[in-house]
């Protein structure tokens, strides 16, 4: 079947090719997506596919729920801590190519 995305971004491929470790791979992807704001990873479709596979008995739904919940909460807290530590120094920098002080003033 022809797909437009590479296999490493295909949620079903990720969940079926890692065997018993698939849930931990899914949790790691959810952690990275929630904490590092790395939007190219298939977090939402991965959770949907994990639920679908769990409904078919291929994954343990309890482990999917607990593992992905913890990964999302911990990832969110890591992202918050990083932003709290790095955020003020970014806002105090002079203008750069990607970050302009006038945009901060206008947002306030």
């Amino acid at each position: 079947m022809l797909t437009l995305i590479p296999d490493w971004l295909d949620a079903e491929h990720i969940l079926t090719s890692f065997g018993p470790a698939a849930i931990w791979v899914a949790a790691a992807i959810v952690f990275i997506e929630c904490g590092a704001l790395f939007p190219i990873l298939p977090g939402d479709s991965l959770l949907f596919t994990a639920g679908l596979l769990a409904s078919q008995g291929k994954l343990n739904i309890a482990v999917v729920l607990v593992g992905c919940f913890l990964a999302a909460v911990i990832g969110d807290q890591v992202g918050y801590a990083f932003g709290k530590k790095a955020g003020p120094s970014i806002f105090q920098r002079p203008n750069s190519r990607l970050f302009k002080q006038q945009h901060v003033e206008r947002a306030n």
Side-chain angles (χ1 to χ4, degrees):
M1 176 167 82
L2 177 66
T3 60
L4 299 176
I5 59 173
D7 283 344
W8 62 274
L9 286 177
D10 182 32
E12 185 176 6
H13 174 76
I14 291 170
L15 291 171
T16 56
S17 64
F18 284 99
I23 295 181
W24 302 116
V25 172
I29 289 174
V30 169
F31 172 81
I32 292 168
E33 195 175 34
C34 288
L37 299 173
F38 196 68
I40 195 169
L41 295 176
D44 296 336
S45 60
L46 187 76
L47 291 174
F48 184 80
T49 307
L52 181 68
L53 292 175
S55 74
Q56 297 172 352
K58 296 178 181 177
L59 294 176
N60 185 344
I61 189 67
V63 177
V64 170
L65 288 172
V66 172
C68 289
F69 171 77
L70 289 175
V73 170
I74 294 168
D76 177 61
Q77 293 301 307
V78 168
Y80 175 80
F82 177 76
K84 186 175 181 182
K85 181 149 179 95
S89 65
I90 291 173
F91 284 108
Q92 295 172 355
R93 286 185 181 174
N95 289 337
S96 68
R97 193 173 77 176
L98 297 175
F99 187 81
K100 306 230 182 291
Q101 281 299 111
Q102 71 185 27
H103 297 301
V104 174
E105 293 168 6
R106 193 170 64 192
N108 280 334

